[in-house]
C-alpha cells in the first residue's frame, strides 16, 4: 500500500513518529537510540526507520527542509499510514537575544508565511498550535531529564534567504516569537486537519540577533537532550 513518496508496507510505521529534517539524522538517531531497527523507506533517500525505544514501537522519518517537503510526508504519514503523533525534532534560529546556542524550545504555536495558507484559508489567518497533550508531556519529560526549556511561539518561513533582511524579523520579535524555522506551521495545520497530534521540539542552532552561530559539534549535546525528550513521548 505504498503512498506516493513512501514505499512502506501497511503497518510498517509506528503510531508515534519523530521527524528530523535531515534523513541521515533519522538514520543516526534510529541507530543510536532504537533496537530492532528496520528501514521502511528509501524513496528519494528520505530515510524512514521503525524500531523500539524502551520496548515501545516508534518510527523516525526524514522530511527534508521546508514546508513544501514536510507537507508531503505529513499528509502521507497520517492519511495512508495512520500515524497519530508527529513530533518534529529540529533546529531554529533564535529571535531573542537571551536564547543561547543549544537552548531547547517547545513550540506552542507556529506563526509564519506558509504560501499554502492562501489556498487553505482563503486570506484569513489560522493560528497553528501544537497539541497540548504532547506539549505537556514533553515539558514534564524535560523536567524529569533536567533539561531547561522555553515554551512559546515560533515562526515558520518558506524563505530561508529573504530578499530584504533589514528589520525582517522586528515585528515578530516584538510579538514574542522565540525563533524561526521552516517546518512547524504546516505540520501543526495538517495534523489538526487530518486528526492527528503534533509538536515541535527545537534547539537553537544560531541567534539572528546576536549573530552567534554553532558547529554541528556544539549542537550534539542539545540534540541528544531534544531526542531524549521526544522519545519519552512514545
Ligand atoms: N532561518 C530559518 N530556518 C532556520 C534558521 C534560520 O535562521 N536556523 C535554523 N533553522
Amino acid at each position: 500500500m505504498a503512498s506516493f513518496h513512501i514505499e512502506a508496507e501497511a503497518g510498517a510505521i509506528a503510531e508515534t513518529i519523530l521527524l528530523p529534517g535531515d534523513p541521515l539524522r533519522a538514520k543516526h538517531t534510529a541507530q543510536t537510540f532504537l533496537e530492532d531497527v528496520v528501514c521502511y523507506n528509501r524513496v528519494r533517500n528520505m530515510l524512514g526507520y521503525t524500531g523500539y525505544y524502551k520496548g515501545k514501537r516508534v518510527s523516525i522519518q526524514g522530511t527534508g527542509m521546508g514546508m513544501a517537503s514536510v507537507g508531503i510526508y505529513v499528509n502521507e504519514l497520517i492519511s495512508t499510514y495512520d500515524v497519530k503523533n508527529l513530533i518534529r525534532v529540529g533546529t531554529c534560529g533564535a529571535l531573542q537575544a537571551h536564547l543561547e546556542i543549544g537552548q531547547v524550545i517547545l513550540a506552542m504555536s507556529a506563526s509564519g508565511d506558509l504560501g499554502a495558507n492562501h489556498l487553505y484559508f482563503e486570506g484569513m489567518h489560522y493560528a497553528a498550535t501544537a497539541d497540548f497533550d504532547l506539549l505537556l508531556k514533553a515539558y514534564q519529560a524535560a523536567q524529569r531529564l533536567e533539561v531547561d526549556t522555553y515554551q512559546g511561539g515560533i515562526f515558520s518561513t518558506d524563505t530561508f534567504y529573504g530578499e530584504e533582511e533589514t528589520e525582517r524579523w522586528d515585528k515578530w520579535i516584538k510579538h514574542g516569537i522565540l525563533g524561526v524555522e521552516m517546518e512547524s506551521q504546516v505540520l501543526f495545520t495538517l495534523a489538526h486537519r487530518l486528526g492527528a497530534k503534533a509538536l515541535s521540539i527545537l534547539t537553537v542552532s544560531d541567534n539572528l540577533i546576536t549573530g552567534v552561530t554553532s558547529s554541528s559539534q556544539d549542537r550534539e549535546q542539545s540534540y541528544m537532550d531534544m531526542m531524549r525528550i521526544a522519545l519519552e513521548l512514545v
Side-chain angles (χ1 to χ4, degrees):
M1 80 149 180
S3 62
F4 212 84
H5 301 87
I6 302 174
E7 63 190 342
E9 299 296 325
I13 306 180
E15 274 200 356
T16 299
I17 196 162
L18 271 50
L19 302 173
D22 179 354
L24 291 181
R25 275 291 186 191
K27 181 179 185 181
H28 177 257
T29 306
Q31 288 172 346
T32 305
F33 288 99
L34 305 189
E35 289 172 342
D36 298 332
V37 176
V38 175
C39 178
Y40 64 74
N41 191 55
R42 294 181 197 278
V43 176
R44 288 176 178 258
N45 283 323
M46 204 58 89
L47 304 170
Y49 299 85
T50 297
Y52 291 83
Y53 181 74
K54 296 184 182 172
K56 293 183 184 152
R57 195 160 177 261
V58 60
S59 295
I60 308 181
Q61 169 72 56
T63 62
M65 290 182 285
M67 293 192 272
S69 184
V70 170
I72 288 171
Y73 291 100
V74 170
N75 257 301
E76 294 181 17
L77 288 168
I78 301 173
S79 300
T80 305
Y81 293 99
D82 222 15
V83 172
K84 303 287 187 210
N85 305 301
L86 300 93
I87 302 149
R88 165 163 155 71
V89 282
T91 60
C92 69
L95 289 176
Q96 306 286 340
H98 64 278
L99 296 175
E100 292 182 356
I101 302 300
Q103 174 66 54
V104 177
I105 292 173
L106 305 178
M108 292 167 57
S109 65
S111 305
D113 57 22
L114 172 61
N117 269 0
H118 296 295
L119 201 68
Y120 294 163
F121 299 108
E122 299 167 355
M124 283 173 273
H125 305 282
Y126 176 73
T129 54
D131 178 77
F132 181 72
D133 186 41
L134 288 180
L135 181 65
L136 180 62
K137 286 191 176 132
Y139 178 71
Q140 290 167 337
Q143 298 228 305
R144 277 199 306 280
L145 295 166
E146 300 185 346
V147 177
D148 251 1
T149 58
Y150 273 84
Q151 290 65 236
I154 59 158
F155 188 98
S156 305
T157 182
D158 282 337
T159 315
F160 186 91
Y161 297 106
E163 205 175 345
E164 180 51 81
E165 285 299 325
T166 320
E167 298 169 11
R168 178 180 177 190
W169 300 114
D170 282 2
K171 50 181 134 354
W172 301 102
I173 294 165
K174 203 177 286 177
H175 287 82
I177 296 297
L178 298 177
V180 54
E181 48 87 270
M182 301 187 69
E183 291 81 13
S184 297
Q185 189 180 23
V186 82
L187 168 64
F188 294 173
T189 301
L190 291 176
H192 281 288
R193 185 199 302 177
L194 302 171
K197 298 179 173 187
L199 176 68
S200 287
I201 308 176
L202 305 170
T203 63
V204 171
S205 60
D206 51 306
N207 190 309
L208 278 66
I209 311 306
T210 62
V212 176
T213 57
S214 64
S215 66
S216 57
Q217 235 172 355
D218 294 338
R219 282 181 237 151
E220 198 56 27
Q221 178 60 45
S222 52
Y223 171 77
M224 298 296 270
D225 289 344
M226 172 172 68
M227 288 301 174
R228 286 199 186 89
I229 295 170
L231 286 164
E232 286 299 310
L233 302 177
V234 179

